[in-house]
Each structure stands twice: as structure tokens, then as C-alpha cells.
Amino acid sequence: MAVLLIRLAGPMQSWGDSSRYARRTTRREPTKSGVVGLLASALGRTREDSVDDLAQLELAVRVEQPGELMRDFQTERPMDGGKPMPLSDRYYLADACFLVAISGPRELLSRLDAALRLPRRPLYLGRRSCPADLPISLGVRENVDDVRAALAREPWRASERFKSRHEAVAMLDVVADARDGESCESWADYPLSYSVTGRRYACRPVAKLRVPNPDLMGGISDGESSGAATPVPAEPAVVHDPLGWME
């Protein structure tokens, strides 16, 4: 099996979570709708194009460094002196880094890898005000069992500054598409359409896991495994609205 690895890091990120009206929140990890939107933009797709092939790819996200939650209090007034927009609170993750693993057909993963290296449209980390650091794509890994195994063996991608302050991080958090029988929670971030006439999302089951930090295991060669992921007890299922991720 092949797995594409993507590094999502930048000064700010925002992954729409319960984003309604004047309160635009963020999840602590990238949403599937946000990652699929990033991939679709790299391929040059429009909002009206189908994303079914991208949404069906298996996804897992490892938290390299969680970042700090930041609130931005915003006002907006039209240039023509008209009625001002409502005051709003927008939330971001500052100085966060995530490692995303995607599995699917080898040919599609290769196209996504090439598109992320030379995107046809600008790439953002959830909102237009959140550009991504480079590199984004870390390439396609061959001969791995699945996305979880790939994340369990990949070197820790946190910044050197973060590592120097958190040397003893033994386990790294992972959120992944849940599998049959796993304890999970529901996230309303499975993209059905990004159409300007009405974005649509479905719920997907998400499992929370932990994997050993490969940097503390003396290094792992391409043919070795770093051990199984450890499940994390699921929180009560909550349906979230990710509509703010692209704003």
C-alpha cells in the first residue's frame, strides 16, 4: 500500500468547528473537509467540481505540535459608509504543526504529490488568511500497511524550538477515520459539495489514538514497524458545523 504524507504548518491555522454567525471556532486538528479542500485547490478544481474521489481517501492526522489557541476580535465596515457588519470572534491555532497521512490509489496519490509541489491555486490552512509553510508534501511512502502505520514510523516533524522545550513527549496524538468496531465520535466534516449555491457535509466517525514518538525509539528503517497505535477513549459524539473553514 502507498501513503501520501502532508505537513501542515504555518503561523496560523483554522479548521472550521461549529462556525456559525459571528463566532468562528476551530478544531484542534485539521478537518477532512479542510484537507480535501486543500487537495482540490492544488489540483485546480473549482467549487462546482466533484470531490468524491478525494473524500473517499482514508485520512489520519498526527499532532506534531498542538499550537496555541488564539482569538481575533474583528470588525468590518463597508467602504461606502453603509451599515457595519456584526462584530465577530475568529479563532486560530498559532504555531501548530500536523502530519497528515492519506492512502488510496497509487496513481491518484502521485498526482496529489505533484499538485501540492506545484499547485494550480493558492493553498491555505483553513482560511485565506492562513498560508502554509513549505514543504507541504513529504512524498509518497511505499510498502506501508496503512495510514496509521505510516504515522507510527515517520520522524517527529515538530520545530527544533518546540522539541527543545518538550524533549520527553513519548506519545503523539492521532485522529483518524474510524474503522469497524472502534470507539469513535462524530465529526460533520465529510465534504459532499463546496458549491457556492450551498456547501454540504456529512458526518464521519473519527477515532482518537496515540502512537509512540519515533524520535525516542532510536530510529526506524523502512522495513520496520514502530508498534501499534493506542486507542484513546472517545468523547461523547457531537455534531459540528465546519462551514467556516474556507472563510
Side-chain angles (χ1 to χ4, degrees), residues 53-106:
D53 58 334
L54 304 180
Q56 292 172 12
L57 299 173
E58 185 178 14
L59 173 75
V61 178
R62 193 177 78 185
V63 181
E64 307 300 277
Q65 58 189 68
E68 297 290 335
L69 187 64
M70 181 180 72
R71 186 185 73 166
D72 185 24
F73 181 68
Q74 295 189 358
T75 62
E76 182 178 346
R77 182 179 295 275
M79 295 292 290
D80 61 6
K83 183 179 179 180
M85 299 294 291
L87 303 179
S88 65
D89 290 310
R90 294 177 184 260
Y91 290 83
Y92 300 86
L93 296 176
D95 197 31
C97 180
F98 304 97
L99 184 63
V100 178
I102 300 171
S103 67
R106 180 64 173 81

Side-chain angles (χ1 to χ4, degrees), residues 156 162-172 212-213 215-216:
W156 191 20
F162 184 86
K163 288 181 180 181
S164 67
R165 296 185 175 187
H166 302 81
E167 296 179 353
V169 176
M171 303 292 287
L172 300 176
N213 186 340
D215 281 17
L216 302 183

